[in-house]
C-alpha cells in the first residue's frame, strides 16, 4: 500500500524544509510506503532549489516544476494526476493544516471511508475580512449549489484511489477541487482540526485569486445565477408595464413636460441591470470558451523522482490522460 501526499508550493522557501521535516515525522512511522509530491507552481524564489535538494536527500520525494505560476488548484491537480498512491492526501505547504492529522486520516480511511476531509473548527491568525467573506461565500454556495459542499473545509483531505480515478474523469478547466470531490460521492467524513497560523512567509491568495476561486466554485456547481438573470428580466418587464400605463395616463391628462428625473433614473437603473446580467452570462461564456479551446491546464517544465519522468511523464499537461 502506498500513500501519496501532494503539496503545492508557491514561493515557500521559508517553510519548505520545515514542511518536509513535519511530513516525514508523520509518514515514517506509518505502516505504509509513502511518496511526497511537491509541486513548484512557478516560484521565483529559492523554493525550486530547496525542493530539488529534498528530492536528492529523500527517495520518497518527487518534484514537479511548472513552467510558470498556474495557481493553487492547478498545482494540486498536477499532484493528483501524477500520484500513484492507494490514498492521496492534499495539504498546504505553510503548515496551517497540521500534518499530524494525516495519521488520523489514514486510520479513518482504513475504517472504510473513501474521503476524509479536514474541517476547521477554529481559524487562528486570519483577518476578520477573510473569515467574514469565507462565511458568506460558503453560505451562498450552499444556497446555489445542488451538490452539498461541506462548509469550513479547504483542500486538506485524504482521497481513496477510487475517488482519484473518478477525479481523473473530470477534465474541466477552472477547477474547484473541494467541490468536485464532494460531487464524486462515496463515503465521506470529516475530522475536526484547528487551523493554525502560517509557519512563515505570507499568503499568496490575494483578493483577486480568492474571487476567482469563489466564482469557479459557484459557476461550476450552479446555473442558478442564469435563472436569477431571467427572473430579473421578468420583474423589470413587469415594472416597465406599470411605468408605461402611468406614462400614458399622464399624457392623457396633459402632464407631459415633466419626468426628466424619473426617466434618467429608469434609464441608468435598467442599464445597470442589463450590464450585470451580461456580466453573469459572460462569466459562463468565458468558461465555455476555456473548455472549447482546451488548452493544457498547466505546463510541466521538469519532473524529478518519478520513475517515468524524462521520456514518458504521466500527465505533462493536465489533460487527464488515461494511465
Ligand atoms: N499556492 C500555489 N500557487 C499559488 C498560490 C498558492 O501553489 O498561486 C500554494 C501555497 O504555496 C500553499 C497553498 O497553495 O501551499 C495555500 O496558499 P496560501 O497559504 O498562500 O493561501 P491561504 O492559506 O492564505 O488561503
Ligand atoms: Mg495558507
Amino acid at each position: 500500500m502506498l500513500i501519496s501526499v501532494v503539496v503545492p508550493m508557491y514561493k515557500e522557501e521559508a517553510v519548505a524544509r520545515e514542511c518536509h521535516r513535519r511530513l516525514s515525522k508523520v509518514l515514517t512511522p506509518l505502516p505504509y510506503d509513502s511518496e511526497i509530491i511537491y509541486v513548484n507552481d512557478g516560484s521565483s524564489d529559492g523554493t525550486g532549489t530547496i525542493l530539488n535538494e529534498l528530492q536528492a536527500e529523500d527517495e520518497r520525494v518527487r518534484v514537479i516544476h511548472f513552467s510558470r505560476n498556474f495557481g493553487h488548484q492547478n498545482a494540486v491537480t498536477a499532484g493528483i494526476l501524477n500520484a500513484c498512491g492507494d490514498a492521496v492526501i492534499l495539504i498546504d505547504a505553510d503548515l496551517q493544516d497540521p500534518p499530524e492529522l494525516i495519521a488520523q486520516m489514514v486510520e479513518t480511511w482504513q475504517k472504510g471511508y473513501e474521503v476524509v476531509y479536514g474541517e476547521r473548527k477554529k481559524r487562528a491568525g486570519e483577518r476578520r475580512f477573510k473569515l467574514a467573506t469565507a462565511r458568506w461565500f460558503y453560505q451562498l454556495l450552499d444556497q446555489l449549489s445542488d451538490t452539498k459542499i461541506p462548509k469550513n473545509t479547504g483542500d486538506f483531505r485524504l482521497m481513496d484511489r477510487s475517488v482519484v480515478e473518478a477525479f481523473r474523469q473530470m477534465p474541466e478547466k477552472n477547477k474547484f477541487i473541494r467541490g468536485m470531490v464532494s460531487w464524486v460521492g462515496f463515503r465521506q467524513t470529516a475530522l475536526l482540526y484547528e487551523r493554525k497560523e502560517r509557519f512563515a512567509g505570507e499568503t499568496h491568495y490575494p483578493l483577486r485569486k480568492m474571487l476567482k476561486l469563489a466564482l469557479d466554485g459557484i459557476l461550476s456547481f450552479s446555473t442558478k445565477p442564469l435563472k436569477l438573470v431571467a427572473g430579473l428580466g421578468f420583474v423589470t418587464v413587469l415594472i416597465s408595464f406599470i411605468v408605461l400605463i402611468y406614462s400614458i395616463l399622464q399624457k392623457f391628462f396633459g402632464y407631459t413636460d415633466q419626468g426628466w428625473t424619473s426617466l434618467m433614473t429608469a434609464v441608468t437603473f435598467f442599464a445597470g441591470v442589463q450590464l450585470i446580467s451580461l456580466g453573469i452570462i459572460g462569466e459562463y461564456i468565458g468558461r465555455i470558451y476555456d473548455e472549447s479551446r482546451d488548452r493544457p491546464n498547466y505546463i510541466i517544465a521538469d519532473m524529478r523522482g518519478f520513475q517515468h519522468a524524462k521520456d514518458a511523464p504521466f500527465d505533462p499537461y493536465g489533460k487527464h490522460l488515461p494511465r
Side-chain angles (χ1 to χ4, degrees):
M1 290 265 240
L2 178 72
I3 309 263
S4 305
V5 180
V6 171
V7 193
M9 292 225 187
Y10 177 56
K11 296 202 212 166
E12 300 284 14
E13 61 182 3
V15 300
R17 283 200 168 273
E18 177 66 10
C19 173
H20 184 66
R21 197 186 63 79
R22 291 267 295 273
L23 279 174
S24 279
K25 219 169 108 193
V26 174
L27 292 175
T28 310
L30 288 182
Y32 306 104
D33 293 333
S34 56
E35 63 172 2
I36 308 175
I37 304 177
Y38 291 116
V39 185
N40 171 17
D41 186 9
S43 310
S44 51
D45 64 356
T47 307
T49 321
I50 297 176
L51 293 182
N52 287 341
E53 284 166 14
L54 289 174
Q55 198 276 315
E57 291 161 18
D58 188 338
E59 57 168 19
R60 292 173 300 183
V61 173
R62 330 244 180 271
V63 185
I64 296 174
H65 294 282
F66 278 0
S67 62
R68 63 167 172 86
N69 180 250
F70 282 95
H72 173 226
Q73 297 287 296
N74 283 318
V76 173
T77 302
I80 300 174
L81 294 183
N82 292 290
C84 294
D86 299 287
V88 176
I89 294 164
L90 315 179
I91 187 168
D92 282 355
D94 58 5
L95 300 170
Q96 283 193 286
D97 310 323
E100 291 68 33
L101 201 72
I102 288 178
Q104 229 176 310
M105 283 182 167
V106 170
E107 222 172 85
T108 315
W109 167 60
Q110 284 298 291
K111 284 183 194 148
Y113 289 97
E114 279 90 359
V115 175
V116 189
Y117 54 86
E119 188 175 318
R120 303 152 181 173
K121 66 175 178 211
K122 239 169 75 184
R123 296 177 80 165
E126 301 278 22
R127 299 222 313 275
R128 282 250 288 280
F129 176 76
K130 179 145 185 173
L131 294 180
T133 46
R135 201 175 54 238
W136 293 336
F137 166 67
Y138 281 106
Q139 244 149 30
L140 185 68
L141 187 64
D142 197 46
Q143 298 273 315
L144 294 178
S145 160
D146 299 324
T147 308
K148 274 273 155 277
I149 300 169
K151 290 178 187 157
N152 300 321
T153 61
D155 289 323
F156 184 31
R157 58 190 61 220
L158 177 150
M159 302 181 285
D160 181 71
R161 174 51 48 187
S162 50
V163 175
V164 173
E165 288 307 317
F167 179 85
R168 299 185 73 85
Q169 302 302 315
M170 302 166 83
E172 62 202 72
K173 319 278 171 193
N174 302 308
K175 290 184 172 64
F176 185 63
I177 294 173
R178 60 202 75 164
M180 292 164 69
V181 174
S182 298
W183 182 90
V184 162
F186 292 103
R187 278 155 297 180
Q188 309 210 356
T189 188
L191 288 182
L192 285 175
Y193 74 103
E194 254 175 60
R195 190 158 161 95
K196 303 265 171 14
E197 285 177 46
R198 240 180 186 282
F199 173 74
E202 57 192 44
T203 176
H204 296 293
Y205 253 100
L207 191 62
R208 177 178 50 84
K209 282 186 183 171
M210 255 160 60
L211 271 178
K212 158 105 176 56
L213 184 69
L215 266 181
D216 285 340
I218 290 172
L219 300 187
S220 52
F221 282 91
S222 173
T223 50
K224 280 188 190 141
L226 288 174
K227 293 183 185 117
L228 197 81
V229 167
L232 221 60
F234 275 115
V235 173
T236 48
V237 165
L238 210 75
I239 294 173
S240 72
F241 259 119
I242 297 168
V243 174
L244 184 74
I245 291 167
Y246 173 76
S247 315
I248 290 172
L249 286 180
Q250 290 288 78
K251 185 181 165 59
F252 198 67
F253 291 113
Y255 307 117
T256 44
D257 51 356
Q258 278 181 355
W260 186 83
T261 314
S262 56
L263 194 71
M264 285 311 281
T265 314
V267 168
T268 48
F269 176 72
F270 291 120
V273 169
Q274 283 171 19
L275 282 179
I276 291 173
S277 307
L278 267 181
I280 293 176
I281 297 167
E283 286 291 337
Y284 283 97
I285 295 179
R287 280 164 174 75
I288 298 172
Y289 182 51
D290 276 348
E291 295 296 338
S292 62
R293 233 174 0 184
D294 197 26
R295 285 196 182 153
N297 282 315
Y298 49 74
I299 293 168
I300 292 179
D302 189 15
M303 289 175 105
R304 299 192 180 203
F306 291 89
Q307 264 127 36
H308 301 258
K310 274 274 181 310
D311 26 309
F314 294 141
D315 205 337
Y317 301 118
K319 289 263 189 179
H320 295 243
L321 306 172
R323 269 282 169 70

